Amino acid sequence: MTTDDLSAKADRYLWGHFARHGPGITPPIITRGEGVRIFDDRGKSYLDALSGLFVVQVGHGRDELAEAAARQARTLAYFPLWSYATPPAIELAERVAHYAPGDLNRVFFTTGGGEAVETAWKLAKQYFKLTGKPGKYKVISRAVAYHGTPQGALAITGVPAQKAPFEPLTPGAVKVANTNFYRAPEPFNTDLKAFGQWAAERIGEAIEFEGPDTVAAVFLEPVQNAGGSIPPPPGYFERVRQICDDYDVLLVSDEVICAFGRIGSMFACDDFGYVPDMITCAKGLTSGYSPLGAMIARDRLFEPFNDGTTTFPHGYTFGGHPVSAAVALVNLDIFEREGLNDRVKHLAPQLRSTLERLYDLPIVGDVRGEGYFYSIELVKDQASRETFTKEERRRLLPALSSALYDAGLYCRIDDRGDPVIQLAPPLISGQAEFDEIEAVLRAVLADAL
């Protein structure tokens, strides 16, 4: 098929995700990936500085992952986990549990991150019903945080514009402040640790306001995605863990983006020193070579279901798909063989320092993030931190996105909070890729001034 044929068929038949459609809008067509680069239908190469969508941890074009899928498909292409089990799912559950901290030993497979979040909320509700606290159903999450598109996960999401078209949503979701120190309120904008304690206390305050007997869980990303790679201040998660314990509220670490080396460790809660009650994950579990997600729960959450009669009446046809599980096992082999977790921990400071060179551009307000997960907040005035108006964003951000792509850099312009450029290169990236990212950003942002 020619490039024109593909474009015409895309325009006629394909309904893109989170995409604009209309006359003159044809999506770029990506045909191939190799290492840290992707290629379009015209053969042009781009540095994949977003790992697809925070997914392709080990890079594109890994033959052994494709071969793992083919091997498993020839043996057992599909069978559900509905009262049955398959060897790949069993082996992967054991492996994931061994990576998880504490006694998070029970792995419930899904096909993606939003499903994992949905699963965690449903489990929290049923767990408290089974343990004599049926009124606990509400969830607390943070402003601007994104947790997925299913009705429950969307309710947990803190981005009003993404929720409005689908309201009314699942009831019971409550929002508190996030941990964006760059936009911290006075008098906490000069003391990072004090700001972290203030932000954590907002969770306790919300539990008290809603009533501790109504709150089931707190959902937090280790590093918040929407709003621009927002890291936790020192002591924040330690205090949140104490608050959850005091009120018998479950702490869910939403690691759909942050798990599997994106921050450094297999699970980012280890990087920040807390043990949650549940972890939700997906994306990097297979490096995107096959769809798979998971909810991982502590042993105590499984106990009410381990009596021979009680079930968790929830599941997905393709959850724990044997081909996806086989791919995940080989993907994790690559992590261990190539030391990708240690690589991220070692090279992350170089990524940060490389991006911080951009502070000499007046449009760069903040460079923030952890591991291989960074954002650059764009501002109208660096000294005052003044952001762009809605109309200015409408003109500026699409033009920047196109210019970066045309310059050979695939990344993400995100304005779900203040406008940011998000970067999450494959974990096999090094200083050469960091320098290329910085050079393209510098050239494009300098022209935008």
Side-chain angles (χ1 to χ4, degrees):
M1 230 180 292
T2 67
T3 291
D4 289 342
D5 288 338
L6 285 169
S7 295
K9 291 186 181 216
D11 289 344
R12 177 62 184 89
Y13 298 109
L14 188 63
W15 197 330
H17 298 204
F18 292 96
R20 293 179 299 118
H21 295 274
I25 301 174
T26 296
I29 300 171
I30 305 302
T31 60
R32 184 168 67 89
E34 182 178 333
V36 299
R37 311 199 78 83
I38 54 174
F39 299 81
D40 67 16
D41 54 340
R42 291 172 171 82
K44 183 177 177 181
S45 168
Y46 305 82
L47 176 60
D48 182 359
L50 201 66
S51 299
L53 194 62
F54 317 104
V55 171
V56 190
Q57 315 293 63
V58 302
H60 298 274
R62 292 278 192 154
D63 288 343
E64 61 189 295
L65 292 176
E67 290 163 1
R71 257 193 326 271
Q72 181 58 44
R74 285 192 293 266
T75 303
L76 178 66
Y78 171 74
F79 210 78
L81 296 184
W82 298 46
S83 300
Y84 294 86
T86 64
I90 295 167
E91 292 177 34
L92 183 60
E94 178 189 33
R95 190 131 171 216
V96 167
H98 284 173
Y99 290 136
D103 65 341
L104 280 91
N105 292 317
R106 288 290 177 168
V107 182
F108 187 101
F109 287 116
T110 67
T111 60
E115 291 176 358
V117 171
E118 197 86 356
T119 300
W121 192 1
K122 290 178 76 172
L123 175 60
K125 289 179 178 181
Q126 189 180 1
Y127 169 78
F128 282 116
K129 284 180 170 61
L130 292 173
T131 55
K133 297 183 178 181
K136 291 172 81 72
Y137 72 95
K138 295 178 184 176
V139 161
I140 294 170
S141 58
R142 296 184 291 201
V144 195
Y146 176 81
H147 293 280
T149 56
Q151 287 289 92
L154 189 58
I156 298 172
T157 290
V159 185
Q162 289 188 314
K163 300 194 290 184
F166 310 107
E167 292 174 333
L169 301 174
T170 306
V174 179
K175 305 297 176 289
V176 297
N178 62 42
T179 60
N180 186 354
F181 186 58
Y182 186 68
R183 297 294 179 185
E186 294 183 351
F188 304 105
N189 56 351
T190 59
D191 186 329
L192 180 60
K193 188 169 184 179
F195 170 62
Q197 293 299 301
W198 173 85
E201 294 302 336
R202 302 288 71 74
I203 293 173
E205 185 179 80
I207 294 172
E208 283 284 356
F209 181 82
E210 296 296 325
D213 58 344
T214 72
V215 179
V218 173
F219 278 69
L220 304 174
E221 297 166 278
V223 179
Q224 184 174 314
N225 168 31
S229 307
I230 303 171
Y236 173 79
F237 274 110
E238 179 182 6
R239 180 61 187 134
V240 170
R241 178 72 269 182
Q242 292 173 347
I243 290 169
C244 290
D245 289 341
D246 290 344
Y247 290 107
D248 192 19
V249 169
L250 303 178
L251 176 56
V252 182
S253 191
D254 183 359
E255 305 204 15
V256 171
I257 287 176
C258 292
F260 305 109
R262 180 56 53 190
I263 305 304
S265 299
M266 280 298 189
F267 292 107
C269 53
D270 282 335
D271 293 308
F272 299 114
Y274 67 98
V275 178
D277 297 296
M278 286 183 266
I279 295 172
T280 56
C281 59
K283 294 188 183 288
L285 177 54
T286 65
S287 285
Y289 284 71
S290 193
L292 188 64
M295 183 281 300
I296 313 161
R298 298 182 71 169
D299 285 334
R300 74 181 180 95
L301 300 185
F302 183 76
E303 287 174 6
F305 300 91
N306 199 28
D307 62 359
T309 58
T310 304
T311 63
F312 180 34
H314 171 72
Y316 299 99
T317 299
F318 296 113
H321 193 286
V323 172
S324 295
V327 169
L329 287 164
V330 176
N331 180 58
L332 296 172
D333 288 343
I334 293 173
F335 265 83
E336 295 180 1
R337 185 177 70 238
E338 299 185 6
L340 293 183
N341 300 96
D342 288 340
R343 177 184 179 83
V344 171
K345 293 175 184 179
H346 177 68
L347 293 181
Q350 294 175 219
L351 175 58
R352 178 190 292 271
S353 62
T354 303
L355 296 176
E356 286 177 343
R357 296 179 204 157
L358 297 168
Y359 274 130
D360 64 352
L361 299 176
I363 197 173
V364 173
D366 193 27
V367 175
R368 59 176 176 262
E370 297 287 344
Y372 272 32
F373 183 32
Y374 270 83
S375 289
I376 298 168
E377 183 170 332
L378 306 177
V379 293
K380 188 192 301 189
D381 184 270
Q382 195 179 63
S384 68
R385 303 186 181 185
E386 180 184 1
T387 192
F388 296 97
T389 66
K390 185 176 181 179
E391 180 58 27
E392 288 168 337
R393 292 187 194 193
R394 189 186 67 79
R395 293 194 305 267
L396 174 66
L397 300 185
L400 279 180
S401 184
S402 295
L404 289 166
Y405 186 74
D406 290 344
L409 186 69
Y410 167 69
C411 56
R412 184 186 199 185
I413 304 285
D414 187 2
D415 67 343
R416 288 174 291 181
D418 294 304
V420 298
I421 300 173
Q422 287 191 307
L423 303 159
L427 308 189
I428 59 172
S429 304
Q431 189 60 52
E433 287 74 33
F434 304 161
D435 287 338
E436 184 176 350
I437 291 169
E438 190 271 344
V440 173
L441 289 173
R442 177 174 295 280
V444 171
L445 293 177
D447 283 346
L449 301 177

PDB file of all heavy atoms in Angstrom, residues 72-73 75-82 86 316-323:
ATOM      1  N   GLN A  72       4.682 -19.213  22.353  1.00  0.00           N
ATOM      2  CA  GLN A  72       3.531 -19.484  23.212  1.00  0.00           C
ATOM      3  C   GLN A  72       2.263 -19.682  22.387  1.00  0.00           C
ATOM      4  O   GLN A  72       1.439 -20.545  22.697  1.00  0.00           O
ATOM      5  CB  GLN A  72       3.330 -18.327  24.203  1.00  0.00           C
ATOM      6  CG  GLN A  72       2.160 -18.532  25.146  1.00  0.00           C
ATOM      7  CD  GLN A  72       2.276 -19.800  25.966  1.00  0.00           C
ATOM      8  OE1 GLN A  72       3.330 -20.121  26.497  1.00  0.00           O
ATOM      9  NE2 GLN A  72       1.175 -20.556  26.065  1.00  0.00           N
ATOM     10  N   ALA A  73       2.105 -18.897  21.324  1.00  0.00           N
ATOM     11  CA  ALA A  73       0.904 -19.019  20.488  1.00  0.00           C
ATOM     12  C   ALA A  73       0.816 -20.396  19.846  1.00  0.00           C
ATOM     13  O   ALA A  73      -0.284 -20.930  19.635  1.00  0.00           O
ATOM     14  CB  ALA A  73       0.893 -17.927  19.426  1.00  0.00           C
ATOM     15  N   THR A  75       1.886 -23.098  21.245  1.00  0.00           N
ATOM     16  CA  THR A  75       1.615 -24.072  22.307  1.00  0.00           C
ATOM     17  C   THR A  75       0.194 -23.919  22.864  1.00  0.00           C
ATOM     18  O   THR A  75      -0.564 -24.891  22.954  1.00  0.00           O
ATOM     19  CB  THR A  75       2.626 -23.895  23.455  1.00  0.00           C
ATOM     20  OG1 THR A  75       3.951 -24.030  22.931  1.00  0.00           O
ATOM     21  CG2 THR A  75       2.396 -24.913  24.557  1.00  0.00           C
ATOM     22  N   LEU A  76      -0.145 -22.697  23.268  1.00  0.00           N
ATOM     23  CA  LEU A  76      -1.480 -22.389  23.763  1.00  0.00           C
ATOM     24  C   LEU A  76      -1.724 -20.909  23.476  1.00  0.00           C
ATOM     25  O   LEU A  76      -1.218 -20.043  24.183  1.00  0.00           O
ATOM     26  CB  LEU A  76      -1.601 -22.664  25.268  1.00  0.00           C
ATOM     27  CG  LEU A  76      -2.964 -22.333  25.887  1.00  0.00           C
ATOM     28  CD1 LEU A  76      -4.054 -23.259  25.336  1.00  0.00           C
ATOM     29  CD2 LEU A  76      -2.902 -22.415  27.416  1.00  0.00           C
ATOM     30  N   ALA A  77      -2.491 -20.643  22.455  1.00  0.00           N
ATOM     31  CA  ALA A  77      -2.703 -19.255  22.035  1.00  0.00           C
ATOM     32  C   ALA A  77      -3.602 -18.501  22.999  1.00  0.00           C
ATOM     33  O   ALA A  77      -3.410 -17.300  23.219  1.00  0.00           O
ATOM     34  CB  ALA A  77      -3.310 -19.213  20.632  1.00  0.00           C
ATOM     35  N   TYR A  78      -4.590 -19.188  23.561  1.00  0.00           N
ATOM     36  CA  TYR A  78      -5.514 -18.495  24.460  1.00  0.00           C
ATOM     37  C   TYR A  78      -6.216 -19.474  25.374  1.00  0.00           C
ATOM     38  O   TYR A  78      -6.608 -20.565  24.960  1.00  0.00           O
ATOM     39  CB  TYR A  78      -6.579 -17.712  23.674  1.00  0.00           C
ATOM     40  CG  TYR A  78      -7.651 -17.174  24.603  1.00  0.00           C
ATOM     41  CD1 TYR A  78      -7.377 -16.094  25.434  1.00  0.00           C
ATOM     42  CD2 TYR A  78      -8.885 -17.801  24.722  1.00  0.00           C
ATOM     43  CE1 TYR A  78      -8.321 -15.640  26.343  1.00  0.00           C
ATOM     44  CE2 TYR A  78      -9.840 -17.355  25.617  1.00  0.00           C
ATOM     45  CZ  TYR A  78      -9.545 -16.267  26.430  1.00  0.00           C
ATOM     46  OH  TYR A  78     -10.455 -15.827  27.339  1.00  0.00           O
ATOM     47  N   PHE A  79      -6.370 -19.062  26.614  1.00  0.00           N
ATOM     48  CA  PHE A  79      -7.296 -19.690  27.535  1.00  0.00           C
ATOM     49  C   PHE A  79      -7.544 -18.719  28.679  1.00  0.00           C
ATOM     50  O   PHE A  79      -6.627 -18.019  29.116  1.00  0.00           O
ATOM     51  CB  PHE A  79      -6.796 -21.041  28.071  1.00  0.00           C
ATOM     52  CG  PHE A  79      -7.917 -21.969  28.399  1.00  0.00           C
ATOM     53  CD1 PHE A  79      -8.588 -22.649  27.393  1.00  0.00           C
ATOM     54  CD2 PHE A  79      -8.358 -22.124  29.701  1.00  0.00           C
ATOM     55  CE1 PHE A  79      -9.658 -23.487  27.677  1.00  0.00           C
ATOM     56  CE2 PHE A  79      -9.424 -22.961  30.001  1.00  0.00           C
ATOM     57  CZ  PHE A  79     -10.079 -23.640  28.982  1.00  0.00           C
ATOM     58  N   PRO A  80      -8.791 -18.638  29.184  1.00  0.00           N
ATOM     59  CA  PRO A  80      -9.090 -17.641  30.222  1.00  0.00           C
ATOM     60  C   PRO A  80      -8.620 -18.087  31.597  1.00  0.00           C
ATOM     61  O   PRO A  80      -8.409 -19.275  31.858  1.00  0.00           O
ATOM     62  CB  PRO A  80     -10.622 -17.552  30.176  1.00  0.00           C
ATOM     63  CG  PRO A  80     -11.045 -18.922  29.743  1.00  0.00           C
ATOM     64  CD  PRO A  80      -9.992 -19.375  28.762  1.00  0.00           C
ATOM     65  N   LEU A  81      -8.515 -17.102  32.486  1.00  0.00           N
ATOM     66  CA  LEU A  81      -8.178 -17.381  33.883  1.00  0.00           C
ATOM     67  C   LEU A  81      -9.427 -17.495  34.749  1.00  0.00           C
ATOM     68  O   LEU A  81      -9.337 -17.466  35.971  1.00  0.00           O
ATOM     69  CB  LEU A  81      -7.266 -16.281  34.437  1.00  0.00           C
ATOM     70  CG  LEU A  81      -5.894 -16.147  33.772  1.00  0.00           C
ATOM     71  CD1 LEU A  81      -5.055 -15.087  34.471  1.00  0.00           C
ATOM     72  CD2 LEU A  81      -5.149 -17.475  33.769  1.00  0.00           C
ATOM     73  N   TRP A  82     -10.573 -17.640  34.119  1.00  0.00           N
ATOM     74  CA  TRP A  82     -11.834 -17.765  34.846  1.00  0.00           C
ATOM     75  C   TRP A  82     -11.941 -19.190  35.414  1.00  0.00           C
ATOM     76  O   TRP A  82     -12.459 -20.106  34.774  1.00  0.00           O
ATOM     77  CB  TRP A  82     -13.015 -17.479  33.913  1.00  0.00           C
ATOM     78  CG  TRP A  82     -13.026 -16.089  33.345  1.00  0.00           C
ATOM     79  CD1 TRP A  82     -11.979 -15.407  32.808  1.00  0.00           C
ATOM     80  CD2 TRP A  82     -14.148 -15.207  33.257  1.00  0.00           C
ATOM     81  NE1 TRP A  82     -12.365 -14.156  32.383  1.00  0.00           N
ATOM     82  CE2 TRP A  82     -13.700 -14.006  32.640  1.00  0.00           C
ATOM     83  CE3 TRP A  82     -15.497 -15.315  33.600  1.00  0.00           C
ATOM     84  CZ2 TRP A  82     -14.538 -12.927  32.386  1.00  0.00           C
ATOM     85  CZ3 TRP A  82     -16.339 -14.243  33.351  1.00  0.00           C
ATOM     86  CH2 TRP A  82     -15.863 -13.063  32.757  1.00  0.00           C
ATOM     87  N   THR A  86      -2.978 -20.951  33.527  1.00  0.00           N
ATOM     88  CA  THR A  86      -2.042 -21.366  32.478  1.00  0.00           C
ATOM     89  C   THR A  86      -0.620 -21.223  33.016  1.00  0.00           C
ATOM     90  O   THR A  86      -0.362 -20.371  33.881  1.00  0.00           O
ATOM     91  CB  THR A  86      -2.196 -20.507  31.210  1.00  0.00           C
ATOM     92  OG1 THR A  86      -1.838 -19.148  31.516  1.00  0.00           O
ATOM     93  CG2 THR A  86      -3.622 -20.562  30.683  1.00  0.00           C
ATOM     94  N   TYR A 316     -11.577 -10.152  33.139  1.00  0.00           N
ATOM     95  CA  TYR A 316     -11.479  -9.705  31.752  1.00  0.00           C
ATOM     96  C   TYR A 316     -11.153 -10.910  30.876  1.00  0.00           C
ATOM     97  O   TYR A 316     -10.311 -11.746  31.237  1.00  0.00           O
ATOM     98  CB  TYR A 316     -10.392  -8.641  31.599  1.00  0.00           C
ATOM     99  CG  TYR A 316     -10.678  -7.408  32.424  1.00  0.00           C
ATOM    100  CD1 TYR A 316     -10.061  -7.220  33.661  1.00  0.00           C
ATOM    101  CD2 TYR A 316     -11.580  -6.451  31.983  1.00  0.00           C
ATOM    102  CE1 TYR A 316     -10.335  -6.099  34.424  1.00  0.00           C
ATOM    103  CE2 TYR A 316     -11.868  -5.329  32.739  1.00  0.00           C
ATOM    104  CZ  TYR A 316     -11.236  -5.159  33.964  1.00  0.00           C
ATOM    105  OH  TYR A 316     -11.519  -4.050  34.722  1.00  0.00           O
ATOM    106  N   THR A 317     -11.778 -10.974  29.716  1.00  0.00           N
ATOM    107  CA  THR A 317     -11.572 -12.101  28.808  1.00  0.00           C
ATOM    108  C   THR A 317     -10.096 -12.328  28.523  1.00  0.00           C
ATOM    109  O   THR A 317      -9.617 -13.464  28.505  1.00  0.00           O
ATOM    110  CB  THR A 317     -12.324 -11.855  27.487  1.00  0.00           C
ATOM    111  OG1 THR A 317     -13.723 -11.751  27.765  1.00  0.00           O
ATOM    112  CG2 THR A 317     -12.085 -12.985  26.504  1.00  0.00           C
ATOM    113  N   PHE A 318      -9.370 -11.234  28.280  1.00  0.00           N
ATOM    114  CA  PHE A 318      -7.969 -11.369  27.886  1.00  0.00           C
ATOM    115  C   PHE A 318      -6.990 -11.080  29.029  1.00  0.00           C
ATOM    116  O   PHE A 318      -5.786 -10.954  28.797  1.00  0.00           O
ATOM    117  CB  PHE A 318      -7.670 -10.458  26.694  1.00  0.00           C
ATOM    118  CG  PHE A 318      -8.443 -10.832  25.450  1.00  0.00           C
ATOM    119  CD1 PHE A 318      -9.416  -9.995  24.936  1.00  0.00           C
ATOM    120  CD2 PHE A 318      -8.209 -12.035  24.813  1.00  0.00           C
ATOM    121  CE1 PHE A 318     -10.130 -10.332  23.798  1.00  0.00           C
ATOM    122  CE2 PHE A 318      -8.912 -12.393  23.672  1.00  0.00           C
ATOM    123  CZ  PHE A 318      -9.880 -11.537  23.165  1.00  0.00           C
ATOM    124  N   GLY A 319      -7.486 -10.948  30.253  1.00  0.00           N
ATOM    125  CA  GLY A 319      -6.588 -10.724  31.385  1.00  0.00           C
ATOM    126  C   GLY A 319      -5.662 -11.911  31.594  1.00  0.00           C
ATOM    127  O   GLY A 319      -6.112 -13.055  31.687  1.00  0.00           O
ATOM    128  N   GLY A 320      -4.358 -11.652  31.677  1.00  0.00           N
ATOM    129  CA  GLY A 320      -3.397 -12.731  31.849  1.00  0.00           C
ATOM    130  C   GLY A 320      -3.259 -13.617  30.638  1.00  0.00           C
ATOM    131  O   GLY A 320      -2.880 -14.791  30.747  1.00  0.00           O
ATOM    132  N   HIS A 321      -3.556 -13.071  29.471  1.00  0.00           N
ATOM    133  CA  HIS A 321      -3.460 -13.808  28.200  1.00  0.00           C
ATOM    134  C   HIS A 321      -2.135 -14.571  28.144  1.00  0.00           C
ATOM    135  O   HIS A 321      -1.078 -14.007  28.435  1.00  0.00           O
ATOM    136  CB  HIS A 321      -3.548 -12.817  27.042  1.00  0.00           C
ATOM    137  CG  HIS A 321      -3.778 -13.446  25.714  1.00  0.00           C
ATOM    138  ND1 HIS A 321      -2.779 -14.135  25.049  1.00  0.00           N
ATOM    139  CD2 HIS A 321      -4.868 -13.485  24.916  1.00  0.00           C
ATOM    140  CE1 HIS A 321      -3.257 -14.569  23.897  1.00  0.00           C
ATOM    141  NE2 HIS A 321      -4.524 -14.189  23.790  1.00  0.00           N
ATOM    142  N   PRO A 322      -2.150 -15.852  27.809  1.00  0.00           N
ATOM    143  CA  PRO A 322      -0.906 -16.637  27.864  1.00  0.00           C
ATOM    144  C   PRO A 322       0.204 -16.089  26.977  1.00  0.00           C
ATOM    145  O   PRO A 322       1.379 -16.160  27.348  1.00  0.00           O
ATOM    146  CB  PRO A 322      -1.342 -18.036  27.424  1.00  0.00           C
ATOM    147  CG  PRO A 322      -2.683 -17.889  26.808  1.00  0.00           C
ATOM    148  CD  PRO A 322      -3.311 -16.691  27.443  1.00  0.00           C
ATOM    149  N   VAL A 323      -0.132 -15.530  25.809  1.00  0.00           N
ATOM    150  CA  VAL A 323       0.903 -14.962  24.943  1.00  0.00           C
ATOM    151  C   VAL A 323       1.508 -13.724  25.600  1.00  0.00           C
ATOM    152  O   VAL A 323       2.730 -13.545  25.631  1.00  0.00           O
ATOM    153  CB  VAL A 323       0.336 -14.631  23.548  1.00  0.00           C
ATOM    154  CG1 VAL A 323       1.354 -13.857  22.718  1.00  0.00           C
ATOM    155  CG2 VAL A 323      -0.065 -15.920  22.833  1.00  0.00           C
TER     156      VAL A 323
END
